[in-house]
Amino acid sequence: MNRRDFIKLSGASVMASSMFQLGQALANSPAQDNDYKALVCVFLYGGMDNHDTIIPYDEASYAQWAGHRQSLLGKYTTPRTLANLLPIATPGRFGSRRFALPAELAGLANLYQQNKLAVVGNVGPLLSPITAAMIAQDTARLPSRLFSHNDQQSTWMSGAAEGAQFGWGGLINDALMTQGHTANTPFNAITTADGALWLTGKQTAPYHVSDGQAATIEALEEFDEHPELVAHFSNQPQNAQHFLQQDVTAAINSAYQANSQFNAAQANTSVTLPEFPATSLGKQLQTVSNSIAARQQLGASRQVYVVAMGGFDTHSGQAQNLPKLQSTLDSALVAFNTAMESLNLSEQVTVFTASDFGRTLAINGDGTDHGWAGHHFVMGGAVNGGTIFGDIPNAELNHELDAGGGRLIPTTSVDQYAASLGQWMGLDLGTLNGIFPNLNNFNGPLSLFK
């Protein structure tokens, strides 16, 4: 790996050497470990179909839903019949309505029934509560560039369309550091794939990990860590004359130091984790599990992670492709939950899903089109599991929450969803209002946690 690639992959490793040393000093603090918490964002690129994730299960609602999806339903390998769906406990506020998950999400359905997983229904970007009538009357304040992949990915991660600088995961970490909940280490915010925007704060930069380790320099490995090469890549900034040279040298030095610490922490942490599926998402969550297991050596008492999988833009081939994606998601999340339980950290680690948007209830022949609100999962031992937060609108068209074609208008904002997670991490409502300026337009954070 050359210098340019090394710096690029090292992300947040440009922290000063003093931060590196501070992380080492804090690594073995029992109090820090007892207070440890981590958020893991699973971003589903493309727009996961909410209508084919939380499915109506009572006969009347199911018949209504199936009527809109009739020509598509016959193409599934495992038919989406009532007999094949997995019912989940439904809160009483839904009356006679019932809900289920598809067969491919059997593991998540089991975790839901064990109160280890919750559903957050009809959540999406909002500036303030709106209805279809308000949109028709042109009185609604709408988020920018709805239904656009890049812009809605950015909006979910940052609250603003493409071009945003800071994500709410990074801003949460900024506040946690400022308030003393965690030290300023390079390892507070880690990505194994995309989603770097979500981790970027004013003081927080994403730390990139690939294939279970931080970036390494091949030349060092080939020459057995030759002292002169090590000195070259860990060069101190005062050896450079020009200020630009000093900045680059400092970046390389900090990256080298941080990457060495991360890889040493992984090598020196001996844990036996349950087997993970050999999928990209499975490998990413295994990497996160190993990193969490090394939390004391990394010196972080609060961490935010992002992992990702793509393929959810199911304009065509939905009946063939979506079940495979759901099965991949299910097996990886179940393995991660088992891993956290084996580390006795289930109550200290929370996983949540996010996606560009939901999809239309109406079909286009072989798939579905871009929507707005979606339904998402929150998993972990601290979660108020076995229930549905928010709403699951009826599977019908032309109602007050239909923006057209069954594109659901959110009733829970991303700000509320995100603030609930930030609150669990230790931030107060005043701090959260600063991170999420539209939060006051709603009823505050959700009660996602015990």
Side-chain angles (χ1 to χ4, degrees), residues 98-370:
R98 296 291 180 269
F99 302 103
L101 301 186
E104 292 78 13
L105 295 178
L108 296 188
N110 186 47
L111 290 176
Y112 181 100
Q113 296 299 91
Q114 294 178 36
N115 299 328
K116 298 176 181 179
L117 178 139
V119 170
V120 180
N122 206 38
V123 57
L126 279 177
L127 303 179
S128 59
I130 60 175
T131 64
M134 293 171 66
I135 295 175
Q137 296 163 7
D138 201 24
T139 60
R141 293 174 59 227
L142 298 176
S144 299
R145 302 172 189 171
L146 289 169
F147 318 129
S148 158
H149 284 293
N150 290 349
D151 292 301
Q152 293 311 296
Q153 290 162 10
S154 176
T155 299
W156 260 89
M157 294 181 190
S158 71
E162 190 174 21
Q165 288 183 284
F166 306 118
W168 55 265
L171 294 175
I172 283 175
N173 184 66
D174 284 353
L176 291 169
M177 291 190 298
T178 299
Q179 296 179 13
H181 292 288
T182 189
N184 185 348
T185 81
F187 314 113
N188 290 354
I190 296 178
T191 174
T192 62
D194 296 320
L197 171 61
W198 182 68
L199 295 174
T200 302
K202 296 177 181 178
Q203 301 172 347
T204 302
Y207 185 84
H208 294 261
V209 177
S210 179
D211 295 327
Q213 66 174 12
T216 59
I217 301 174
E218 294 174 0
L220 292 178
E221 297 174 353
E222 291 174 4
F223 289 92
D224 297 321
E225 303 287 328
H226 192 280
E228 291 185 9
L229 280 175
V230 171
H232 174 70
F233 284 104
S234 61
N235 202 6
Q236 297 299 314
Q238 60 265 28
N239 294 337
Q241 301 301 313
H242 192 274
F243 73 92
L244 183 59
Q245 289 177 311
Q246 292 174 3
D247 287 346
V248 172
T249 303
I252 293 173
N253 175 62
S254 293
Y256 176 81
Q257 296 286 347
N259 291 357
S260 296
Q261 182 187 355
F262 184 88
N263 290 333
Q266 298 298 295
N268 294 330
T269 300
S270 179
V271 294
T272 301
L273 296 174
E275 185 176 357
F276 278 78
T279 60
S280 173
L281 184 61
K283 292 175 182 178
Q284 290 177 68
L285 287 172
Q286 184 175 26
T287 294
V288 171
S289 299
N290 284 319
S291 175
I292 289 174
R295 64 200 176 279
Q296 289 183 296
Q297 294 190 56
L298 297 177
S301 54
R302 293 289 189 279
Q303 289 183 294
V304 286
Y305 292 87
V306 62
V307 301
M309 65 179 291
F312 287 90
D313 194 20
T314 51
H315 289 288
S316 61
Q318 174 160 321
Q320 294 76 36
N321 297 325
L322 183 59
K324 295 176 184 177
L325 295 167
Q326 290 173 331
S327 180
T328 297
L329 176 66
D330 183 84
S331 60
L333 289 183
V334 168
F336 185 78
N337 180 75
T338 304
M340 292 304 100
E341 289 181 343
S342 74
L343 293 173
N344 294 317
L345 288 173
S346 176
E347 294 186 358
Q348 294 169 263
V349 179
T350 295
V351 179
F352 68 98
T353 61
S355 190
D356 316 18
F357 33 63
R359 304 196 75 81
T360 57
L361 175 62
I363 61 175
N364 60 23
D366 195 34
T368 56
D369 296 319
H370 299 178

